[in-house]
Amino acid sequence: MITELGHFALVLAFFVACVQAVVPLVGAHKRWPGWMAVAEPAANVQFLLTATAFAALTYAFVTSDFSVRLVTVNSHSAKPMLYKITGVWGNHEGSMLLWVLIVTLFGAFAAWFGGNLPPTLKARVLSVQAMIGVAFFAFILFTSNPFLRMGVPPFDGQDLNPLLQDPGLAFHPPFLYLGYVGLSMTFSFAVAALIEGRVDAAWGRWVRPYTLAAWIFLTVGIGLGSWWAYYELGWGGFWFWDPVENASFMPWLIAAALLHSAIVVEKRESLKSWTILLAIIAFGFSMVGAFITRSGVITSVHAFASDPERGVFLLLILAVFMVGALTLFAARGNVLQAKGVFSLVSRESVLVINNVLLAVAAFVVFVGTIWPLVSEMAFDRKLSVGAPFFNMAFTPFMVALGLILPVGAMLPWKRGNLARVIRPLRGAFLLAVAVGALAFAMQTGRSALGPVGLFLGAWLISGAAVDLWSRTGRGENRLSRLTRLPRADWGKAVAHAGLGVTMAGVAGVMAWEAEDIRVLQVGESLDLAGYTVTLDAVREIKGPNYEATQADMILSRGGSVISTLQPEKRFYPVAGMPTTEAALDNGFLRDVYVVIGDPQDNGGWAVRTYHKPLANWIWGGSILMAIGGALSLSDRRYRVAAGARKSTPAAGVPAE
């Protein structure tokens, strides 16, 4: 009964979305207040109905209702409760229901917190957001219904993919979807502004919180996914340039560019056309990610489904929204006239360079991701594009971005004096050079990647500190003034410093990682980067829904025991699938990473060990970036429509 209730609520939400997509849009065009007023209650009802459907599916998973086909295919009665719940979105149909739930949630946010929006703009934003909802409701109901029943319910289920039964992957998809779908709001604001023919400072202020929230969620989601791949898959890496990894990274890059360009719109009323275009492209890239993971056109270990029919449906949705929005952009772009002018040496100019670097970097990732598909379709050649291409083509743009960020953050708007800005940064630059030189002096026979990465990291961190300190003015009580700086200033500095920490961590791991792969007998040891790893024991254990081979591996240095690591090789009988559980000894400056492999004919065990300098800085930097974004978002000036002028009759009138 509850399952049928969920299905019925989903159908009702679809019809409410259809009403919301049409009625407020017509009302805004005709200036009919009653029709425009439909948008807000419709957005609320649409969210409540979708939440009801999602709660019904969650109930089916929690109670192991194997009469529901989706539960049978993706759950098991012996599975821990956490993974019963996360099984709701650990599959194609459930993940799409989560996606559309977040679409309606953001629409409801616009209804709840958009009180200062001009009535016509608010109606159009909610209408466009509802159109996105209509497309995905139709996709779910016609191709991916999560509420299908089994004719003969089985005694038990087939279990969730064992790779997804992990805390990191439990929360990784919701954060990514919050980021992906958050960009749908920026898309809705962009299309509504094009229809309205008005983009001004107030519009930039309204769109920034949604962009910032989406960027924060994407940062957390990508960080969780990278962390999971690092310790769960047992391969020792943190980023594989897999198509699905790239599908989340491209919107992150474009969202970062959009966030910075929206600042220029808000402060200087410049870059209007570019900002609108970025808002459209950002959502387009999030749709490309949905297409890649669900169409089967590109092989990936992260893919949810490989159904060409669903892929065609998603491709159609992508084409309709992108072609429609870009056509509207071409038709209405002439009304987006920039008002602010600025010199070559100004914060605006640096933000333009920032945007170009981020956009071109995203394009490079896109080309590398999609080229195997283009090659196969156009030239009938199968090829793969791997890490060497991405590292060589992508890295220079990030190096350039890291170099300009501290300078650009301190330049004034409109016109600046470069010498005056560089003067307080000299100490930060010398510190960064010293850190890079020290790293270069300590390494032998290595590439310049490590020293350059540490230089950039130190430059970004110290530059962010100088930027904060420079905002306290002169004289006494500078520390007191530092604590009273706006949270947006703190957020910017923390986020930039977090990027520096991540850059240093990536460079450290890639430049100085040490690896050892060999067969060890119980009692034997190996030496790695000054540490000794001893295989002390191997045993068989049984988990709640798996069987495992577990090893005790003693980590020591200079004869002193540091820790006992317990890597596992698990086997899930229901799914018939093995997984590797690495064991790590985490440290501030390094990780020691051990993996137990298969037994060998001579009685030994395959053992892989890694020494990974600065590995945790990668995710520590991601956390700092997310915290910085959250600090900025908490600044009352950047909340949704905060500080925006109250709507006036003129505010809703399109420009002639």
Side-chain angles (χ1 to χ4, degrees), residues 264-286:
V264 182
V265 174
E266 178 189 349
K267 300 293 185 183
R268 302 287 301 145
E269 293 207 33
S270 295
L271 302 186
K272 294 180 181 180
S273 296
W274 174 247
T275 303
I276 291 288
L277 184 60
L278 279 178
I280 294 170
I281 293 174
F283 180 61
F285 271 124
S286 71

Side-chain angles (χ1 to χ4, degrees), residues 117-192:
L117 289 170
T120 53
L121 179 64
K122 182 177 181 180
R124 285 168 171 145
V125 167
L126 290 174
S127 182
V128 175
Q129 188 72 4
M131 291 178 191
I132 298 171
V134 168
F136 283 100
F137 280 124
F139 178 71
I140 293 174
L141 291 171
F142 299 138
T143 73
S144 310
N145 187 351
F147 296 106
L148 294 177
R149 291 280 195 180
M150 300 283 288
V152 180
F155 178 75
D156 218 327
Q158 300 173 19
D159 208 357
L160 179 68
N161 185 337
L163 289 175
L164 303 182
Q165 296 186 39
D166 179 86
L169 253 287
F171 303 104
H172 162 70
F175 276 105
L176 273 189
Y177 289 0
L178 284 165
Y180 284 149
V181 180
L183 293 174
S184 72
M185 279 306 303
T186 65
F187 176 86
S188 297
F189 268 96
V191 172

Side-chain angles (χ1 to χ4, degrees), residues 433-512:
V433 169
V435 170
L438 178 63
F440 183 78
M442 293 178 64
Q443 71 176 20
T444 56
R446 303 284 184 129
S447 71
L449 176 62
V452 169
L454 288 189
F455 161 75
L456 285 174
W459 170 234
L460 284 166
I461 295 166
S462 57
V466 170
D467 181 26
L468 271 181
W469 187 249
S470 69
R471 296 177 184 277
T472 61
R474 298 180 180 275
E476 299 178 356
N477 299 321
R478 295 187 71 178
L479 284 176
S480 176
R481 289 197 293 270
L482 184 67
T483 61
R484 296 197 300 270
L485 286 176
R487 277 175 283 184
D489 290 344
W490 276 98
K492 180 183 72 173
V494 171
H496 287 180
L499 178 61
V501 172
T502 294
M503 282 187 171
V506 170
V509 169
M510 294 182 67
W512 301 315

Side-chain angles (χ1 to χ4, degrees), residues 17-36:
C18 292
V19 172
Q20 184 183 332
V22 175
V23 174
L25 197 63
V26 174
H29 180 71
K30 298 289 188 180
R31 299 297 191 272
W32 294 342
W35 284 45
M36 287 191 286

